[in-house]
Amino acid sequence: MRPYVYITRKLPLEVIEPLQHDFEVEMWEKEDVPVPRDVLLEKASNAEALITMLSDKVDEELLQHAPSLKVVANLAVGHDNIDLEAASRKGVLISNTPDVLTDTTADLTFALLMATARRIVEADRYIKKGQWKSWSPLLLAGTDIHHKTIGIVGMGSIGEAVAKRAKGFDMKIVYHNRSRKPRAEETLGAVYASLEELLAQADYVVVLAPLTSETEGLFQREQFQAMKPSAIFINAARGPIVNEDALIEALKEGEIAGAGLDVFVKEPIDSHHPLLEFENVVALPHIASSSVETRTAMMNLCVQNVLAVLNGDKPKTQVN
Ligand code: DGY
């Protein structure tokens, strides 16, 4: 019997082709709907490799159901959907997709910052609704980006790539991270700050930290109250880093000036989500790394990682 590989979402055939030479490959055939849990558990029970999405929970239960599993290639740089400790205990290798998505994710993060600051989505809605009657001095006036202070929480490679873009806008860059980043300090003039200092100084607070037990719930009401009332909050990392009720209250009370959100606590959100009621919130459906080039590179990297492990090598981008 050829080793069995299960892919939890429909990927282009040309991407999975290299796997089909030596392995039995099956995919969940829907592009927009995640694989139901019972189907995933059943498929995992025969699989030597899984290619998973960030919406699939790879936990103790799944790993128990998968006695032959050797590798889980997660189509994301984040791997908070995976119980790494349980996987390591069971000798299952986990891989992710770092580096290939860095610039694309940074581009979108900066675009979200710009869209929120300059009210681009609101302006688009305004003109499409036929509300544009005349030029006027303060029509849809936003707030400047250049020469302001960006505060980056989580200075990994995506954080540094956002800082690089901010430097091009002559922004002052402060950052908060578990460790200092000498290269970013030297080349971009980024200044390390405690979270409290960063919140007090930043005109734009941009969250790019991974979701871990340390960052879960990092942004509560107190953190929003510590920001400038003119500050704009951007989250392109993971929803649960933010207490959404606290963010809603902060927006209601005018404690911050707006928010650009690519991620939410429970995804997908529906159109009645309270955060969508604010004109000064720009919401995106978790698309930071979503360019055709980058998503294709991410898929190819997953395939290479599976090929490596099933051929007895190490995955290129191993997490555990
Ligand atoms: C990731 O890779 O973790 C992103 O959130 C997916 O776009």
Side-chain angles (χ1 to χ4, degrees):
M1 278 254 293
R2 302 193 314 158
Y4 174 64
V5 178
Y6 187 66
I7 303 173
T8 67
R9 204 65 72 92
K10 186 173 178 181
L11 303 185
L13 287 178
E14 62 274 18
V15 168
I16 65 160
E17 209 230 20
L19 291 169
Q20 289 173 318
H21 298 301
D22 295 319
F23 312 121
E24 191 64 41
V25 182
E26 198 186 351
M27 286 194 284
W28 174 244
E29 280 300 330
K30 294 184 182 148
E31 242 170 83
D32 298 337
V33 181
V35 60
R37 179 74 179 172
D38 56 333
V39 176
L40 176 57
L41 291 181
E42 188 225 310
K43 302 293 181 188
S45 67
N46 299 315
E48 293 199 21
L50 293 174
I51 296 183
T52 52
M53 310 299 122
L54 51 81
S55 45
D56 303 314
K57 268 227 155 328
V58 179
D59 54 9
E60 184 89 44
E61 182 196 31
L62 182 140
L63 293 160
Q64 296 278 15
H65 271 75
S68 317
L69 193 60
K70 294 194 173 99
V71 59
V72 176
N74 205 39
L75 188 80
V77 65
H79 42 74
D80 45 277
N81 56 315
I82 299 179
D83 184 340
L84 286 187
E85 197 268 320
S88 301
R89 222 180 324 113
K90 294 192 181 329
V92 176
L93 296 175
I94 306 298
S95 69
N96 65 345
T97 60
D99 307 329
V100 292
L101 50 58
T102 300
D103 282 318
T104 301
T105 304
D107 287 347
L108 189 285
T109 305
F110 212 79
L112 184 54
L113 181 156
M114 294 186 75
T116 313
R118 297 300 306 272
R119 304 173 63 183
I120 288 173
V121 180
E122 209 183 327
D124 176 79
R125 277 197 296 262
Y126 178 87
I127 199 166
K128 285 181 181 162
K129 279 193 209 151
Q131 290 172 317
W132 190 22
K133 301 296 176 213
S134 72
W135 184 92
S136 61
L138 284 174
L139 177 64
L140 288 156
T143 182
D144 277 333
I145 298 156
H146 61 85
H147 298 100
K148 295 282 182 76
T149 298
I150 187 170
I152 299 174
V153 180
M155 195 70 151
S157 45
I158 300 171
E160 283 197 40
V162 168
K164 211 160 125 191
R165 284 149 180 79
K167 188 174 163 61
F169 280 72
D170 293 323
M171 296 180 90
K172 179 175 175 207
I173 302 159
V174 294
Y175 75 97
H176 180 69
N177 198 56
R178 270 182 314 184
S179 57
R180 293 282 287 264
K181 294 289 173 163
R183 188 183 59 187
E185 293 184 15
E186 279 155 33
T187 60
L188 303 169
V191 176
Y192 178 82
S194 68
L195 184 61
E196 293 67 31
E197 289 164 346
L198 180 151
L199 297 177
Q201 289 172 28
D203 298 300
Y204 297 93
V205 174
V206 179
V207 184
L208 288 162
L211 175 61
T212 63
S213 53
E214 284 163 53
T215 62
E216 185 164 8
L218 184 63
F219 283 83
Q220 301 290 336
R221 189 74 185 274
E222 188 190 331
Q223 281 64 43
F224 293 114
Q225 284 171 338
M227 293 180 203
K228 297 179 185 180
S230 56
I232 286 178
F233 178 73
I234 305 293
N235 188 4
R238 284 292 183 270
I241 296 175
V242 177
N243 175 338
E244 276 177 1
D245 292 336
L247 174 58
I248 290 164
E249 283 308 308
L251 286 161
K252 254 190 209 151
E253 298 302 322
E255 288 161 4
I256 60 170
L261 306 168
D262 184 44
V263 288
F264 298 86
V265 169
K266 197 170 174 322
E267 297 175 1
I269 59 168
D270 66 37
S271 58
H272 303 296
H273 193 290
L275 278 167
L276 302 185
E277 283 167 24
F278 295 95
E279 219 36 288
N280 54 348
V281 168
V282 176
L284 302 177
H286 203 148
I287 55 166
S289 64
S290 189
S291 68
V292 174
E293 298 92 323
T294 290
R295 284 285 162 89
T296 306
M298 291 164 69
M299 293 177 213
N300 285 330
L301 183 52
C302 287
V303 166
Q304 285 168 28
N305 282 330
V306 167
L307 281 172
V309 177
L310 296 190
N311 287 321
D313 290 328
K314 279 187 173 308
K316 237 174 125 176
T317 49
Q318 185 171 337
V319 174
N320 63 341

